[in-house]
């Protein structure tokens, strides 16, 4: 069964303020038959849950497949989250 490492996520991103807009980068190693687009929302939800917040502050997501594995259990998800800069917020008109 799949066990998301909630405690590792919480420790890794304790400096991210999810009361402010953020960007999430996700890289996946998954079986060729799996569409990574289907993993993105699940990853976003799990990361937000691990950080004890609503995922609506993750305004941008960059996701890509970086490799393949034979079985889903062998897959990996690499995640990086940071707050958007004021310049990025203004460029994207995320806050009026």
């Amino acid at each position: 069964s799949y066990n998301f490492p909630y405690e590792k996520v919480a420790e890794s991103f304790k400096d991210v303020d999810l009361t402010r807009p953020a960007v999430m980068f996700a890289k996946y190693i998954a079986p060729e038959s799996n569409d990574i687009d289907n993993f993105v929302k699940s990853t976003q939800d799990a990361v937000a849950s691990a950080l004890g917040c609503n995922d609506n502050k993750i305004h941008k997501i960059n996701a890509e497949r970086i490799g393949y594995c034979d079985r889903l259990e062998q897959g990996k998800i690499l995640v990086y989250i940071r707050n958007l800069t004021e310049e990025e917020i203004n460029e994207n008109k995320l806050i009026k």
Side-chain angles (χ1 to χ4, degrees), residues 13 15-16 23-27 62 78-83:
F13 300 114
D15 61 332
V16 177
V23 57
M24 180 179 86
F25 299 88
K27 297 180 183 237
N62 180 316
L78 307 168
V79 176
Y80 175 72
I81 299 175
R82 67 169 173 80
N83 286 107

Side-chain angles (χ1 to χ4, degrees), residues 35-88:
D35 183 355
I36 65 162
D37 291 343
N38 294 330
F39 292 140
V40 174
K41 181 61 176 155
S42 296
T43 303
Q44 181 181 1
D45 289 342
V47 167
S49 176
L51 296 174
C53 66
N54 188 309
D55 69 348
N56 67 355
K57 289 299 182 181
I58 301 175
H59 287 269
K60 292 177 78 173
I61 297 175
N62 180 316
E64 65 180 310
R65 181 190 303 268
I66 60 169
Y68 297 95
C69 59
D70 294 327
R71 296 187 325 271
L72 190 57
E73 297 80 23
Q74 298 170 320
K76 295 190 186 294
I77 304 171
L78 307 168
V79 176
Y80 175 72
I81 299 175
R82 67 169 173 80
N83 286 107
L84 292 171
T85 65
E86 291 302 319
E87 183 177 314
E88 289 170 317

